[in-house]
Amino acid sequence: LAAVEWGAARPVLVAKLSPDVEDALLERLVATLLDARIDGIVVANTTSARPAGLRGMRAREAGGLSGTPLFGPSTAMLVRVRELTGGTVPLIAVGGVASGADAYAKLRAGASAVQLYTGLIYGGTALVPRIKREIAALLLGWLGERRAIPMLIEVFHNDPDPFVRSATIIALGQMKDEVVEAVLCVAATDADQYVRDAARQALEEEE
């Protein structure tokens, strides 16, 4: 990939890693992706492993397994990939995310964004706003509202990642404060659509 002459037409390239690879191979894979100037890494794909706790007639069925059993292995791999990349490339976390707590754990493990797959099938589209509300509540519970406001405002103004800025706006939207309302108004004109949508939703909920 690094040798290809893309010119101005270079597409955004994201690679997805298997959770079943040994650490030595994972190191080589990540190094290869960084050398190729990959734009993002998805952690992780489905697994061929079968945890002991699986039940049902299809528990030993061949093929890729997704959903809750993948949460632990994929999150552990996410931590390792974050170490290997040193935060130089966005990481998209996927695997067993079905709640705000799951998504929050992925973000704390090093993800820049979180992808839903099996959880969305079972939870439907209502899962997305529920996860956003739960993440906001977790942030507030962790920081405390008074401490959270200046820290979240600082992140909103300074973090280059639109996913991070939109998450801070969601959290700020849970607070009733004149300064927060002013920041939400500014966010509604942000250059990034994710941030604008989050701010407008928060302002509508205040009304």
Side-chain angles (χ1 to χ4, degrees):
L1 292 176
V4 175
E5 295 292 339
W6 295 106
R10 183 187 185 281
V12 175
L13 299 173
V14 178
K16 180 180 281 189
L17 297 174
S18 166
D20 300 328
V21 299
E22 297 293 334
D23 190 67
L25 177 56
L26 179 63
E27 288 186 13
R28 296 199 300 273
L29 288 170
V30 170
T32 299
L33 293 174
L34 293 178
D35 288 343
R37 302 193 303 275
I38 200 73
D39 295 299
I41 300 175
V42 181
V43 186
N45 206 343
T46 55
T47 179
S48 59
R50 292 296 182 269
L54 287 182
R55 298 186 301 274
M57 59 184 295
R58 293 188 173 86
R60 299 300 162 193
E61 190 175 78
L65 178 68
S66 64
T68 301
L70 188 57
F71 181 80
S74 63
T75 306
M77 179 180 235
L78 176 62
V79 172
R80 181 65 176 133
V81 174
R82 172 72 182 193
E83 292 175 353
L84 293 171
T85 60
T88 58
V89 62
L91 303 180
I92 303 168
V94 59
V97 178
S99 69
D102 295 336
Y104 186 62
K106 297 288 189 183
L107 295 171
R108 293 293 301 274
S112 305
V114 177
Q115 176 186 334
L116 301 178
Y117 189 80
T118 303
L120 194 61
I121 293 172
Y122 288 102
T125 55
L127 179 62
V128 176
R130 179 165 68 83
I131 284 178
K132 290 162 69 175
R133 289 193 301 270
E134 290 174 359
I135 289 177
L138 285 165
L139 286 170
L140 291 179
W142 179 53
L143 291 170
E145 184 166 320
R146 291 298 98 189
R147 287 182 56 211
I149 290 176
M151 293 175 68
L152 291 172
I153 289 174
E154 182 179 358
V155 171
F156 165 70
H157 284 303
N158 296 307
D159 198 291
D161 192 323
F163 293 103
V164 175
R165 294 205 310 279
S166 63
T168 62
I169 288 303
I170 293 165
L172 286 168
Q174 307 296 310
M175 306 175 194
K176 305 301 179 183
D177 184 280
E178 292 181 3
V179 174
V180 167
E181 186 174 352
V183 173
L184 293 178
C185 290
V186 171
T189 64
D190 193 88
D192 194 276
Q193 184 69 47
Y194 292 104
V195 182
R196 293 200 303 273
D197 288 347
R200 288 167 183 165
Q201 180 180 340
L203 288 168
E204 288 173 4
E205 289 176 354
E206 282 195 345
E207 295 171 0

